[in-house]
Amino acid sequence: MPVAFIGLGANLGERLSQLRAAASALNAVPHTTVLGVSRIYETPPWGMPHQPPFLNAVASIQTALEPLALLQQLKSIERRLGRPEHYERWSARLIDLDILLYDDLVIDEPTLTIPHPALPFRKFALVPLLELANPIHPLAKKPISALLSETLDSSDIVPTDYTLLCC
């Protein structure tokens, strides 16, 4: 079965509770097994700087779901956890779930882009992803560790003592 990496983030409300609820919901997605989760990192906001800091993590999953079906499951989890269906890009949010990578697939459709288009520039996703694996980015043709060393993102990525007790 394919392996995918899911980015989890929250910067509103009870951030840790939101991440834990999202990770637990990931564990309940049909035909999907959570293989591992990274540590949780506190990170400054990206895209819109004047908002609260984020808690971010990455989960690796094995799934029989096709990428669009997986995206629908993630959007459903977000809505159940209080995220509105329509929102301003890069705005503060209760929960954010992104497919970062799905095996070595490259998809560029109006509703889904894999790998996540901003992944090479986001330390807050690269650092926790590298804790779980060092896959080759299918477009950059480089391992995640190389992308991390090349990123211009100067944000502070601070590991926390929090864990995702979901799996």
Side-chain angles (χ1 to χ4, degrees), residues 40-157:
I40 298 174
Y41 292 82
E42 186 160 49
T43 65
W46 194 90
M48 286 185 141
H50 302 294
Q51 56 181 305
F54 276 83
L55 289 182
N56 289 104
V58 170
S60 62
I61 63 170
Q62 193 168 40
T63 185
L65 297 177
E66 294 294 321
L68 281 172
L70 177 59
L71 178 64
Q72 290 170 347
Q73 290 287 326
L74 298 180
K75 295 301 176 195
S76 175
I77 292 168
E78 287 178 341
R79 284 191 299 279
R80 284 194 316 264
L81 294 176
R83 182 171 179 167
E85 190 169 345
H86 301 286
Y87 49 87
E88 186 178 0
R89 188 174 190 186
W90 299 324
S91 62
R93 49 200 161 276
L94 289 168
I95 192 67
D96 188 32
L97 301 173
D98 291 321
I99 302 172
L100 303 176
L101 297 168
Y102 186 107
D103 267 353
D104 59 356
L105 287 183
V106 174
I107 298 173
D108 190 6
E109 297 180 6
T111 57
L112 178 62
T113 303
I114 296 175
H116 191 287
L119 178 61
F121 315 107
R122 293 181 169 177
K123 274 190 178 179
F124 68 81
L126 293 169
V127 169
L129 173 55
L130 190 56
E131 276 188 32
L132 301 172
N134 192 18
I136 304 294
H137 188 284
L139 291 175
K141 306 292 186 206
K142 297 177 182 179
I144 294 302
S145 58
L147 293 176
L148 181 58
S149 69
E150 295 171 0
T151 185
L152 299 177
D153 179 0
S154 62
S155 60
D156 297 323
I157 311 300

